[in-house]
Amino acid sequence: MSDAAVAADVAQSGGFGKAFLNALGMIFATEIGDKTFFIAAILAMSQPRLVVFTGAISALIVMTVLSTIFGHLVPQMLPPIATHWASILLFLYFGGRMIWSAAEMYRKGEGVGVSEEMEEVEHELAQKGLVEGAEDAEDAEAGARG
């Protein structure tokens, strides 16, 4: 694709600003509730925050660069109809896999109630006195255990 064709494509699609805001919004919306978000939050409570931030942002940068490279190269190497059907099949595969995993968790009784990670965070916050009822947190935990 020539530089003129790329420039025409960018101008037709709304320009850099629109593409940047779309990417930013999509990443923000999908990453906020993601496991990596919670893992980074939990790590930041027990590890140096700057180290956790640097690691998390580095991983996001690497994944963004790889996604951008694949998103640019794959459609150029394959016909549009192949990328269209491949995206449909991948969406169905990963969606079905998530539904299957959720059904398995439901059958096993997992995922009901508070997760272990959430209990760990609540316990650490209670120890630091950052939540209401912190004085009763250790008594409640001892009662739950035994």
Side-chain angles (χ1 to χ4, degrees), residues 5 27 47-48 55-56 66 109 124 130 140:
I27 289 170
Q47 304 295 323
L66 289 174
E124 285 187 28
L130 299 174

Side-chain angles (χ1 to χ4, degrees), residues 24-99:
L24 184 67
M26 195 170 299
I27 289 170
F28 182 77
T30 57
E31 291 295 326
I32 285 298
D34 196 11
K35 290 184 285 186
T36 54
F37 175 81
F38 292 113
I39 290 169
I42 291 169
L43 282 172
M45 291 182 189
S46 61
Q47 304 295 323
R49 288 179 183 94
L50 183 60
V51 174
V52 173
F53 174 77
T54 304
I57 202 73
S58 298
L60 184 60
I61 289 169
V62 168
M63 290 306 295
T64 301
V65 168
L66 289 174
S67 299
T68 304
I69 289 170
F70 281 115
H72 180 73
L73 291 179
V74 170
Q76 290 184 1
M77 296 185 325
L78 299 173
I81 192 74
T83 56
H84 175 78
W85 283 105
S87 65
I88 290 172
L89 292 173
L90 286 170
F91 179 78
L92 290 173
Y93 170 74
F94 286 111
R97 200 169 125 194
M98 287 179 65
I99 291 171

Side-chain angles (χ1 to χ4, degrees), residues 8-32:
D9 187 39
V10 169
Q12 181 184 11
S13 66
F16 174 80
K18 183 177 179 184
F20 179 78
L21 289 177
N22 282 338
L24 184 67
M26 195 170 299
I27 289 170
F28 182 77
T30 57
E31 291 295 326
I32 285 298

